[in-house]
Amino acid sequence: MLVRDAMSTVVLTIGPAHTLRQSARLMSARHVGAAVVLDEDSSGLGILTERDILNSLAHGQNPDTETAGSHTTTDVVFAAPTWTLEEAAAAMAHGGFRHLIVLDGSGPLGIVSVRDIIRCWVPARQQVPA
């Protein structure tokens, strides 16, 4: 199975000036764990994840003044829609992250997460042992 078969096509794009609270609200409303941060003044895309927001809060930072740009990961590993799920999982395991932005020639096509991969590998109808 390929990344394009598992990825979410709901791509939340935010700017670096969004506060962490605004980002969290948008992520929550769309039921996503990551947002693509598009900074037109820099060289491309970054990613803000729920873990980035959690780490900021754990350090006592104010989510109403901290910006997405200050907590964005910019050294992002991107996936191609034609990668296998094994390739995506290997990239995540190697890099220690849970989301990959999926790119095609024109920009973000989707996001694939560990959860998306697990859903493909373990069918929903399969019983979970008690």
Side-chain angles (χ1 to χ4, degrees), residues 86-107:
E86 289 80 7
E87 289 173 306
M92 290 179 192
H94 178 74
F97 45 81
R98 299 178 296 160
H99 298 86
L100 285 169
I101 300 172
V102 183
L103 290 182
D104 67 1
S106 62

Side-chain angles (χ1 to χ4, degrees), residues 3 8 11 17 42 51 56 73 78 97 101 116 124:
V3 164
S8 170
V11 179
S42 74
R51 182 166 299 184
S56 174
T73 299
F78 298 101
F97 45 81
I101 300 172
D116 297 326

Side-chain angles (χ1 to χ4, degrees), residues 50-114:
E50 55 200 358
R51 182 166 299 184
D52 297 323
I53 295 169
L54 181 68
N55 286 337
S56 174
L57 293 174
H59 286 98
Q61 296 173 334
N62 184 339
D64 294 314
T65 58
E66 289 295 313
T67 63
S70 298
H71 297 276
T72 297
T73 299
T74 55
D75 58 338
V76 179
V77 175
F78 298 101
T82 55
W83 279 17
T84 65
L85 294 186
E86 289 80 7
E87 289 173 306
M92 290 179 192
H94 178 74
F97 45 81
R98 299 178 296 160
H99 298 86
L100 285 169
I101 300 172
V102 183
L103 290 182
D104 67 1
S106 62
L109 185 64
I111 292 184
V112 65
S113 69
V114 170

